[in-house]
């Protein structure tokens, strides 16, 4: 898919060979979606997007167990107005609890950056909140990574197929267990929300500098 996409990009530019810049553009398209240069945002919305992505990027830089920061952009791609992309430096087949907690903190960075720099919050964090909550739920319900201990609270419902009892019921949580699970999910998300807030408050000058750089250059790589 990557090679095909890069060949198409090179062909559209009338090149006679595929270069690394074509591969790089193809990788971004495959991972983040196509650029939507036709989507015009006004100055205020562009600044909010830059602040939001700068928040993600800075938390990613300052937490100890995060995947390396690869690219940050405020050019709309796919359905997103901006994107912060992290890429692992090696194949991962399992994740530590510290790594997962840092991922949640990174997801919360965009919303907190808005609070600090804009003094308001937007709908731009909806997907971040959804993914962070789902991740915390898996940590509590499936992976035993909470104060509730190594208990699986998940509800497994297999697909109905020949040989499986059609009336088979999924395991139901007791009301008290459900309350405890919900409380742990909230605790994990909120604690990492506050971790991200501390990072961005302590490095507010970097938040402002990175926001300004994104507004000027639109896209920055991890080294930049």
């Amino acid at each position: 898919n990557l090679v095909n996409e890069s060949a198409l990009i090179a062909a559209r530019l009338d090149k006679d060979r595929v270069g690394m810049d074509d591969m790089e553009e193809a990788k971004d398209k495959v991972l983040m979606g196509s650029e939507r240069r036709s989507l015009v945002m006004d100055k205020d919305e562009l600044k909010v997007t830059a602040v939001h992505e700068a928040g993600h990027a800075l938390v990613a830089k300052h937490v100890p167990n995060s995947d390396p920061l690869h690219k940050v952009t405020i050019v709309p791609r796919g359905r997103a107005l901006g994107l912060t992309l992290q890429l692992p430096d090696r194949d991962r087949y399992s994740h530590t609890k510290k790594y997962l907690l840092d991922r949640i903190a990174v997801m919360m960075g965009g919303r907190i950056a808005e609070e600090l720099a804009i003094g308001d919050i937007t709908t731009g964090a909806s997907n971040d909140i959804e993914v962070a909550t789902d991740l915390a739920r898996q940590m509590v319900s499936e992976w035993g990574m909470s104060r509730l201990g190594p208990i699986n609270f998940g509800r497994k419902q297999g697909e109905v197929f020949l040989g499986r009892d059609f009336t088979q019921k999924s395991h139901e949580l007791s009301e008290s267990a459900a309350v405890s699970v919900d409380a742990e999910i909230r605790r994990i998300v909120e604690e990492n929300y506050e971790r991200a807030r501390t990072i961005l408050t302590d490095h507010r000058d970097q938040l402002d500098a990175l926001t300004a750089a994104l507004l000027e250059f639109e896209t920055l790589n991890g080294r930049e």
Side-chain angles (χ1 to χ4, degrees):
N1 189 13
L2 178 70
V3 174
N4 285 339
E5 204 58 63
S6 60
L8 290 171
I9 291 169
R12 282 195 291 268
L13 296 173
D14 279 338
K15 294 184 177 181
D16 59 2
R17 67 185 64 200
V18 177
M20 185 56 74
D21 54 338
D22 305 310
M23 296 286 282
E24 181 73 16
E25 175 61 26
K27 175 177 60 63
D28 288 349
K29 184 176 180 180
V30 169
L31 290 175
M32 301 189 292
S34 300
E35 284 190 357
R36 291 190 295 158
R37 292 279 181 180
S38 59
L39 180 63
V40 179
M41 292 188 286
D42 65 29
K43 183 178 179 182
D44 290 339
E45 192 161 31
L46 200 60
K47 182 178 180 181
V48 171
T49 302
V51 165
H52 186 99
E53 299 307 327
H56 285 311
L58 280 180
V59 176
K61 274 290 190 181
H62 287 290
V63 292
N65 303 288
S66 177
D67 285 328
L69 189 62
H70 176 68
K71 185 167 290 187
V72 189
T73 182
I74 58 171
V75 176
R77 280 184 174 273
R79 297 174 60 186
L81 298 181
L83 284 164
T84 298
L85 180 63
Q86 295 172 261
L87 293 178
D89 52 8
R90 65 185 188 281
D91 290 337
R92 291 182 181 273
Y93 302 104
S94 64
H95 300 297
T96 65
K97 180 180 178 180
K98 290 179 180 179
Y99 171 85
L100 297 172
L101 293 175
D102 282 356
R103 277 196 64 193
I104 294 174
V106 171
M107 291 174 202
M108 297 292 99
R111 164 61 62 87
I112 292 168
E114 292 176 8
E115 289 183 19
L116 294 176
I118 307 297
D120 201 354
I121 55 178
T122 72
T123 58
S126 61
N127 184 251
D128 301 328
I129 294 170
E130 180 183 355
V131 173
T133 303
D134 286 345
L135 185 54
R137 181 177 291 109
Q138 286 180 287
M139 292 178 69
V140 175
S141 301
E142 299 178 28
W143 301 328
M145 293 180 173
S146 77
R147 293 173 180 174
L148 300 182
I151 307 297
N152 187 308
F153 295 99
R155 300 197 309 173
K156 299 290 187 181
Q157 182 67 60
E159 293 182 8
V160 175
F161 60 94
L162 292 176
R164 179 183 294 276
D165 183 1
F166 187 80
T167 61
Q168 182 178 16
K169 295 182 180 179
S170 62
H171 172 68
E172 296 289 344
L173 287 179
S174 68
E175 184 176 344
S176 61
V179 170
S180 297
V181 167
D182 286 346
E184 275 297 277
I185 293 169
R186 175 181 289 273
R187 179 188 66 80
I188 289 172
V189 173
E190 289 183 346
E191 284 186 359
N192 287 284
Y193 190 90
E194 293 306 317
R195 282 180 65 213
R197 181 188 297 280
T198 298
I199 290 170
L200 294 180
T201 301
D202 291 347
H203 300 92
R204 177 59 194 276
D205 57 333
Q206 295 178 4
L207 178 63
D208 293 339
L210 183 51
T211 299
L214 283 170
L215 289 171
E216 181 177 356
F217 299 108
E218 294 188 321
T219 300
L220 301 171
N221 63 38
R223 178 183 56 79
E224 290 165 340

